[in-house]
Amino acid sequence: MTRISRPVAVFDLDNTLSGTAHRQHFLERRPRDWDGFFAAAPDDPPLAKGVELCLEAARECEIVYLTGRPERCRRDTVAWLAAQGLPEGRIHMRRDTDRRPARVTKLEILRRLGREREIRMLVDDDDLVCDAAEAAGFTVVRARWAVPSAELKDAQEREGRT
C-alpha cells in the first residue's frame, strides 16, 4: 500500500483545544440542555497547551480534527478554529443522530484514516477514547490540561452526545 508521505496528527476539540468549563452547567441539569451546551461552544477559551501542541504538530503533520460534537455545530467549530489561528484541516464530526460512545465512533474514524495515512498521534482528553486507541496500536497523547468534568465524561460514554 502506498501512503501519502505527510503523517496526520489528530486532535479532539472539547477539553483538548477548547475549554468547556463555562458551559458544563448545561449538562448538570436534568434533562441535560444539549442545545445550550453546544450553542455556548463559540465562547470556549482556547487551551494554551493544546493549541501549542497542535501548532507544533502542524510543522510536520497534516492536522485533522476529530470531535464528538454533532454535525450541526460545524459552522461554529470552523469559525472557532480559525479565530484561534489553528491550522485548517478536515473536521470529523458525529452525525446528528449518532449516539454511540465516543470511544467507538472515534476509533472507527481513526482506523479509516490509518488505512491511508500514518497517524502520528491522537490527542484527546477522554480516557476511554485514549484506551481504545492505544489498544488498537495508535500513539496517544492524553490531554490532561483541562479541568475534567464528570458530567461530560458521563455524556460521552452513556449518551453519545459529544
Side-chain angles (χ1 to χ4, degrees):
M1 168 183 13
T2 303
R3 289 180 182 246
I4 297 171
S5 61
R6 193 169 168 152
V8 174
V10 181
F11 282 80
D12 174 46
L13 294 174
D14 294 335
N15 287 335
T16 299
L17 294 174
S18 70
T20 65
H22 73 100
R23 53 187 169 114
Q24 294 304 311
H25 63 96
F26 291 109
L27 301 183
E28 294 166 0
R29 303 174 182 167
R30 295 295 180 269
R32 290 184 168 121
D33 180 0
W34 289 106
D35 289 338
F37 180 77
F38 290 120
D43 297 325
D44 286 359
L47 296 174
K49 182 141 182 158
V51 169
E52 179 183 322
L53 185 58
C54 186
L55 293 173
E56 182 181 309
R59 292 186 197 129
E60 294 183 13
C61 300
E62 176 185 333
I63 302 300
V64 171
Y65 301 100
L66 176 56
T67 180
R69 291 180 185 185
E71 185 63 43
R72 70 181 182 272
C73 298
R74 180 170 294 276
R75 184 178 308 188
D76 286 343
T77 300
V78 169
W80 186 90
L81 290 166
Q84 308 316 312
L86 287 161
E88 288 186 15
R90 287 178 289 163
I91 304 170
H92 294 272
M93 303 182 89
R94 182 186 295 274
R95 288 186 323 274
D96 288 334
T97 58
D98 189 345
R99 297 287 184 261
R100 295 175 297 158
R103 65 186 159 78
V104 173
T105 59
K106 288 185 175 184
L107 188 59
E108 183 179 282
I109 292 167
L110 277 175
R111 284 185 168 138
R112 189 170 63 234
L113 290 170
R115 284 195 294 266
E116 300 171 4
R117 305 284 293 277
E118 173 197 345
I119 306 294
R120 177 73 50 90
M121 67 177 146
L122 166 69
V123 184
D124 202 299
D125 69 306
D126 184 328
D127 284 330
L128 295 174
V129 169
C130 293
D131 291 346
E134 285 176 337
F138 293 99
T139 299
V140 172
V141 175
R142 293 176 186 254
R144 301 210 192 277
W145 42 83
V147 177
S149 163
E151 292 293 332
L152 184 58
K153 180 175 233 156
D154 183 61
Q156 288 171 322
E157 184 59 21
R158 292 186 188 195
E159 296 183 34
R161 292 291 211 143
T162 183

